[in-house]
């Protein structure tokens, strides 16, 4: 599985119509949309593509529960941090910056 799929599974983002298939389609769409941002044509999703996908998931998951887009993103960050801390993966893998 892709790192993006692993991330969405670890954070338990498969809800509110976000099935595994929908996540896979989102990944493919973002990889195509942002392919130009990876000049050496390596596989995977670039950072900008990840952020774009993350924003899309925030809108899908928290639309109607939060008034502002920034609140939707903050809620998704909190949700993901909680699941990553629960799994013991936050800060350990070097993907996220360590706390000050």
């Amino acid at each position: 599985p892709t790192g993006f799929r692993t991330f969405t599974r670890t954070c338990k983002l498969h809800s509110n119509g976000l099935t595994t298939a929908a996540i896979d389609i989102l990944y493919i769409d973002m990889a195509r949309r942002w392919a130009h941002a990876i000049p050496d044509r390596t596989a995977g999703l670039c950072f900008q593509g990840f952020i774009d996908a993350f924003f899309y998931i925030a809108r899908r998951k928290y639309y109607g529960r939060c008034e502002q887009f920034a609140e939707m993103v903050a809620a998704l960050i909190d949700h993901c941090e909680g699941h990553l801390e629960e799994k013991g993966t936050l800060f350990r893998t070097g993907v996220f910056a360590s706390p000050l």
Side-chain angles (χ1 to χ4, degrees), residues 3-4 6-7 10-11 45-47 50-51 54 80-81 84 88-99:
F4 185 75
T6 301
F7 172 76
T10 302
C11 293
L45 190 61
C46 68
F47 181 71
F50 173 81
I51 295 299
F54 193 83
C80 291
E81 281 182 341
L84 291 171
T89 56
L90 188 63
F91 306 119
R92 187 181 71 202
T93 61
V95 174
F96 299 97
S98 60

Side-chain angles (χ1 to χ4, degrees), residues 11-69:
C11 293
K12 299 181 180 171
L13 298 179
H14 300 86
S15 65
N16 298 350
L18 284 173
T19 62
T20 301
I23 295 289
D24 289 345
I25 291 168
L26 174 64
Y27 172 82
I28 292 166
D29 288 346
M30 292 301 159
R32 286 182 184 153
R33 182 179 300 166
W34 290 97
H36 69 280
I38 306 174
D40 61 357
R41 301 271 184 192
T42 58
L45 190 61
C46 68
F47 181 71
Q48 296 92 335
F50 173 81
I51 295 299
D52 202 6
F54 193 83
F55 287 173
Y56 175 84
I57 293 170
R59 279 189 204 100
R60 287 282 303 265
K61 192 166 180 63
Y62 293 101
Y63 183 80
R65 290 192 255 174
C66 299
E67 290 186 24
Q68 301 292 321
F69 176 65

